């Protein structure tokens, strides 16, 4: 991609961050840390890679996206709103009784959501079912998913990993958001699932390791995933939880808490400064 | 009438039959195709059958993904694992998004027999019934099982179907049978008490009616093949006309058909309801007939309860 395009996508990633944090702030509830760590991946998928149409969110040949780590809904909702699936204004209704924006993704009511998630370990299986359906129906749409590193402690992730390799789901690629943190602390201390690359490889997957915030690396990995035949791809994406908001970065306490008004101001000025630096 | 066929056999045969007519139908199993009888479908349509291995939770959510992609997946395992192990997957990935997945759960109830308690699921009506929007059904014989499968294919939304391992008599005539989700069937009329039964207990209910007739009690027998949505119109009509109800099911008497009937009548037409079922215990190994005796899942026990119910009438 050109430098101009890369800059555009980075800008979008930071806009996603601003909207996600704003939504969590408005709700006074939600998960900022894991939303901020996946902003570049969401920007790349929704603004560069995936065949989707905000005017026709359910069109049959669209690419599918499953946020297996469903608690990062604020990040996904922000990406969908910025992409035009619903007005950005609606993000402020996050988690409120009169809004469609549920705490976790809801495919029945939110335009652009392909699968309801929130219970960890399930989304990756749904993504497998979709990828298998595309193959079975001889359709060439693809399925993308983001799985948490803590989430990979769920046994079902490995049932799905076995399934995807067994059925040679090369139209499926998952990003593992390796931000190193879960709720009770560092993933390595709570229940260490590493080495994730070797595990996925042993399960028969094509494995690529990247920096989750590097758009060139995301593009290269996506390209490689699409070129790889006969096996699904796992992109282990090393990220910073809370990325872009100084006091949230690598801080386990920002997994699922909302900023207070002063903290919110700092978050916005951190993110605006990053945007200004992009020019 | 002489033939005995397990409803799981009829289930597998129906999938194979309707596979021809409904091309969006696909079948998933978790290493039990030989037992659930989805193997019958697999043999005929190998490319439309997907074994998921011994991973029931994953299978349910794979099925959800397939339904979200326009297919009509039937996902099968034993009731214990479909409604027990995978409860949360069914609740969150099939029920909550109201996806068009059909769960074909076999080996339900005490009549599993020799495998014993770990495989005798007595809780699936309770768990599945508590999921909003889930249709919960159980056929009384092979004819009903076949019709139920086609009704489920035509219905848009999640369905849980409960089939048995044990061969049971065929009660219905295929050519004169029609099935509607949520509509109970009056098998025999009577004015003194209603016996509402499901699955293989329908046969026992009919036999109980004979026993009661010998003692001058006329029992109405209704076959409730759909536990949810319950045919409340029929149940309330029976409550009004017969004044007492006995329920009969091969399930814990907590949370299943008996509970559903109590919930139905308590607010609208309170009448005595006595429940025949497994009385809050686990199953055990054995041959089926002595097991049914042991747990009171018999015509004689239903008749006893019916007499009690009649006495309770005001
Ligand atoms: C099955 C299940 N168990 C527990 C939870 C509660 N929960 C929500 S987020 C989370 C930690 C997730 O950590 P990780 O996957 O690393 O996500 P990230 O760091 O990207 O936010 C937990 C335990 C859940 N949503 N689902
Ligand atoms: Mg994490």
């Amino acid at each position: 991609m050109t430098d101009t395009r890369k800059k555009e996508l980075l800008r979008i990633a930071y806009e996603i961050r601003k909207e996600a944090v704003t939504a969590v702030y408005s709700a006074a509830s939600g998960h900022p840390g894991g939303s901020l760590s996946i902003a570049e991946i969401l920007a790349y998928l929704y603004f560069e890679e995936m065949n989707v149409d905000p005017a026709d969110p359910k069109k049959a040949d669209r690419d599918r996206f499953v946020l297996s780590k469903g608690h990062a809904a604020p990040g996904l909702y922000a990406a969908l709103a910025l992409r035009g699936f619903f007005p950005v204004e609606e993000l402020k209704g996050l988690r409120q009784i009169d809004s469609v924006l549920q705490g976790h993704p809801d495919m029945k009511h939110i335009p652009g959501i392909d699968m309801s998630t929130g219970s960890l370990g399930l989304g990756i299986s749904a993504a497998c079912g979709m990828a298998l359906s595309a193959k079975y129906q001889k359709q060439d749409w693809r399925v993308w998913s983001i799985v948490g590193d803590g989430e990979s402690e769920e046994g079902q992730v490995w049932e799905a990993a076995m399934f995807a390799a067994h059925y040679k789901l090369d139209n499926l690629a998952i990003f593992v958001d390796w931000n190193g943190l879960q709720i009770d602390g560092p993933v390595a201390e709570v229940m260490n699932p590493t080495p994730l690359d070797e595990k996925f490889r042993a399960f028969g997957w094509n494995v690529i390791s990247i920096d989750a915030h590097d758009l060139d690396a995301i593009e290269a990995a996506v390209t490689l995933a699409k070129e790889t035949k006969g096996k699904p791809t796992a992109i282990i994406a090393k990220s910073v939880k809370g990325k872009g908001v100084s006091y949230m970065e690598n801080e386990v306490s920002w997994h699922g808490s909302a900023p207070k008004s002063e903290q919110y101001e700092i978050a916005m000025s951190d993110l605006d400064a990053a945007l200004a630096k992009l020019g | 009438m002489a033939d005995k066929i397990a409803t799981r056999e009829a289930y597998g045969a129906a999938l194979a039959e309707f596979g021809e007519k409904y091309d969006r139908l696909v079948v998933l199993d978790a290493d039990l195709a030989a037992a659930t009888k989805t193997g019958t479908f697999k043999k005929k349509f190998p490319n439309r059958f997907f074994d998921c291995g011994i991973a029931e939770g994953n299978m349910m959510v794979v099925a959800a993904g397939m339904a979200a992609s326009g297919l009509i997946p039937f996902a099968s395992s034993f009731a214990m694992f479909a409604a027990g192990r995978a409860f949360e997957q069914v609740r969150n990935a099939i029920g909550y998004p109201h996806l068009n997945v059909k769960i074909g759960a076999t080996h339900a109830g005490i009549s599993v027999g020799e495998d014993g308690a770990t495989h005798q699921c007595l809780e699936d009506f309770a768990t599945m019934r508590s999921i909003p929007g889930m249709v919960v059904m159980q056929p009384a014989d092979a004819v009903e099982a076949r019709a139920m499968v086609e009704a489920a294919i035509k219905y848009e939304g999640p369905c849980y179907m409960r089939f048995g391992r044990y061969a049971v008599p065929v009660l219905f005539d295929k050519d004169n049978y029609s099935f509607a989700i949520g509509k109970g069937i009056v098998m025999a009329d009577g004015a003194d008490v209603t016996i509402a039964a499901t699955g293989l207990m329908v046969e026992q209910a009919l036999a109980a009616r004979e026993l009661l007739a010998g003692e001058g009690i006329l029992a109405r027998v209704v076959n409730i093949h759909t536990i949810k949505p319950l045919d409340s119109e029929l149940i309330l009509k029976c409550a009004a006309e017969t004044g007492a109800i006995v329920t009969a099911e091969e399930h814990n008497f907590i949370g299943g058909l008996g509970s559903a009937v109590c919930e139905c009548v308590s607010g609208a037409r309170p009448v005595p309801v006595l429940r025949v079922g497994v009385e809050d215990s686990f199953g055990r190994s054995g041959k089926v007939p002595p097991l049914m005796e042991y747990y009171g899942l018999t015509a004689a026990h239903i008749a006893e309860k019916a007499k009690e119910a009649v006495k309770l009438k005001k």
Side-chain angles (χ1 to χ4, degrees):
Chain A
M1 91 187 86
T2 64
D3 280 354
T4 326
R5 182 64 183 144
K6 189 163 39 173
K7 213 177 255 182
E8 273 170 24
L9 289 173
L10 261 180
R11 290 195 71 87
I12 293 167
Y14 277 88
E15 293 296 345
I16 290 173
R17 290 191 165 100
K18 284 186 68 177
E19 294 303 339
V21 172
T22 302
V24 171
Y25 173 64
S26 307
S29 158
H31 298 80
S35 293
L36 293 168
S37 57
I38 58 173
E40 281 81 8
I41 296 170
L42 290 170
Y44 188 82
L45 288 176
Y46 276 98
F47 289 81
E48 186 70 18
E49 172 57 31
M50 284 169 45
N51 167 22
V52 289
D53 180 2
D56 186 8
K58 296 268 180 221
K59 73 168 179 158
D61 70 340
R62 72 190 187 280
D63 291 323
R64 268 59 164 188
F65 176 77
V66 180
L67 185 63
S68 200
K69 41 168 266 185
H71 58 279
L76 176 56
Y77 294 165
L80 290 173
L82 291 166
R83 185 71 172 75
F85 282 89
F86 49 85
V88 171
E89 243 338 275
E90 282 191 23
L91 291 169
K92 294 217 170 75
L94 176 71
R95 292 179 167 238
Q96 303 306 305
I97 192 152
D98 52 356
S99 165
V100 292
L101 299 180
Q102 301 302 299
H104 294 83
D106 169 8
M107 67 181 286
K108 275 292 177 222
H109 302 103
I110 307 173
I113 297 292
D114 291 318
M115 182 65 203
S116 302
T117 52
S119 170
L120 295 170
L122 306 195
I124 182 174
S125 298
C128 286
M130 292 174 182
L132 181 65
S133 298
K135 281 198 171 283
Y136 170 74
Q137 297 176 98
K138 305 207 171 13
Q139 294 166 354
D140 55 13
W141 45 271
R142 304 186 63 87
V143 187
W144 303 92
S145 180
I146 302 179
V147 177
D149 50 1
E151 182 182 7
S152 74
E153 292 156 10
E154 277 285 355
Q156 190 168 331
V157 168
W158 302 99
E159 295 183 5
M162 209 181 310
F163 183 95
H166 181 82
Y167 283 105
K168 302 187 169 52
L169 301 180
D170 51 16
N171 53 351
L172 168 71
I174 68 165
F175 289 86
V176 180
D177 180 16
W178 187 11
N179 57 32
L181 298 178
Q182 53 193 109
I183 292 183
D184 284 349
V187 170
E189 288 172 22
V190 176
M191 179 49 63
N192 194 351
T194 60
L196 281 175
D197 50 355
E198 286 176 36
K199 286 200 175 84
F200 274 103
R201 213 168 274 126
F203 273 74
W205 287 53
N206 173 42
V207 179
I208 306 166
S209 295
I210 64 164
D211 171 347
H213 308 302
D214 177 345
L215 281 156
D216 286 321
I218 293 171
E219 180 170 67
V222 164
T223 306
L224 199 57
K226 292 198 300 187
E227 284 168 355
T228 300
K229 297 293 168 222
K231 41 168 93 168
T233 291
I235 301 165
I236 316 286
K238 182 88 195 73
S239 71
V240 173
K241 197 159 178 171
K243 171 81 175 173
V245 175
S246 49
Y247 60 90
M248 288 189 185
E249 289 196 356
N250 294 315
E251 266 300 327
V252 73
S253 61
W254 288 102
H255 169 81
S257 38
K260 304 268 180 294
S261 74
E262 264 169 53
Q263 293 167 322
Y264 175 66
E265 298 308 326
I266 299 171
M268 288 303 109
S269 76
D270 286 348
L271 295 168
D272 281 332
L275 277 166
K277 241 169 87 187
L278 286 171
Chain B
M1 272 303 246
D3 289 10
K4 284 193 172 192
I5 308 173
T7 51
R8 64 174 164 143
E9 291 281 357
Y11 168 59
L15 290 175
E17 176 188 347
F18 296 124
E20 305 234 11
K21 194 158 149 196
Y22 302 97
D23 59 359
R24 291 190 298 141
L25 173 68
V26 293
V27 176
L28 289 75
D29 206 305
D31 197 36
L32 286 170
T36 63
K37 301 299 170 188
T38 61
T40 314
F41 178 90
K42 176 184 177 178
K43 218 165 142 191
K44 189 159 165 191
F45 301 106
N47 298 326
R48 292 163 66 181
F49 176 87
F50 303 97
D51 209 312
C52 297
I54 312 162
E56 298 79 10
N58 180 59
M59 174 176 71
M60 290 303 173
V61 191
V62 164
M66 297 181 89
S69 308
L71 297 172
I72 307 174
F74 274 70
S76 274
S77 181
F78 291 169
M80 192 69 253
F81 314 126
R85 168 77 57 106
F87 168 74
E88 193 261 347
Q89 285 86 347
V90 172
R91 191 262 191 203
N92 275 324
I94 297 173
Y96 176 48
H98 200 71
L99 286 167
N100 197 23
V101 174
K102 317 301 170 184
I103 301 168
T106 69
H107 293 63
I110 286 294
S111 63
V112 164
E114 290 81 348
D115 272 352
T118 54
H119 286 55
Q120 288 160 317
C121 186
L122 304 173
E123 301 84 5
D124 50 336
F125 281 157
T127 61
M128 292 295 112
R129 205 164 70 82
S130 66
I131 298 173
M134 180 68 74
V135 169
V136 180
M137 303 185 280
Q138 175 177 34
D141 78 347
V143 170
E144 192 161 72
R146 173 184 174 275
M148 182 179 289
V149 169
E150 187 167 28
I153 295 169
K154 289 182 176 166
Y155 171 83
E156 176 80 27
C159 296
Y160 177 85
M161 282 159 286
R162 185 186 209 240
F163 302 105
R165 167 176 182 270
Y166 191 62
V168 293
V170 176
L171 303 175
F172 295 106
D173 169 15
K174 187 178 163 191
D175 299 323
N176 296 311
Y177 178 81
S178 90
F179 181 93
I181 292 175
K183 284 277 162 237
I185 296 172
V186 179
M187 305 287 292
D189 210 358
D192 298 333
V193 59
T194 297
I195 305 170
T198 186
L200 55 62
M201 295 305 286
V202 173
E203 183 204 355
Q204 298 304 316
L206 289 167
R209 183 174 183 274
E210 298 295 312
L211 297 176
L212 290 163
E215 301 184 40
I217 296 172
L218 291 179
R220 178 181 299 180
V221 175
V222 296
N223 165 20
I224 301 294
H225 53 61
T226 307
I227 312 302
K228 184 183 177 184
L230 186 70
D231 189 346
S232 50
E233 203 181 308
L234 177 62
I235 294 294
L236 292 175
K237 187 168 178 278
C238 292
E241 290 173 0
T242 70
I245 301 176
V246 173
T247 60
E249 62 195 311
E250 197 193 353
H251 185 276
N252 191 334
F253 76 164
I254 295 173
L257 173 64
S259 298
V261 169
C262 288
E263 290 155 16
C264 172
V265 301
S266 63
R269 182 91 203 188
V271 295
V273 178
L274 298 187
R275 295 161 295 140
V276 171
V278 176
E279 299 190 357
D280 202 21
S281 74
F282 293 103
R284 60 183 298 150
S285 291
K287 297 228 181 306
V288 175
L291 278 176
M292 301 306 264
E293 288 285 340
Y294 183 92
Y295 289 102
L297 303 173
T298 57
H301 190 218
I302 294 171
E304 281 312 309
K305 287 285 178 191
K307 282 188 269 178
E308 271 179 54
V310 169
K311 278 197 202 124
L312 288 170
K313 277 164 68 166
K314 290 206 186 90

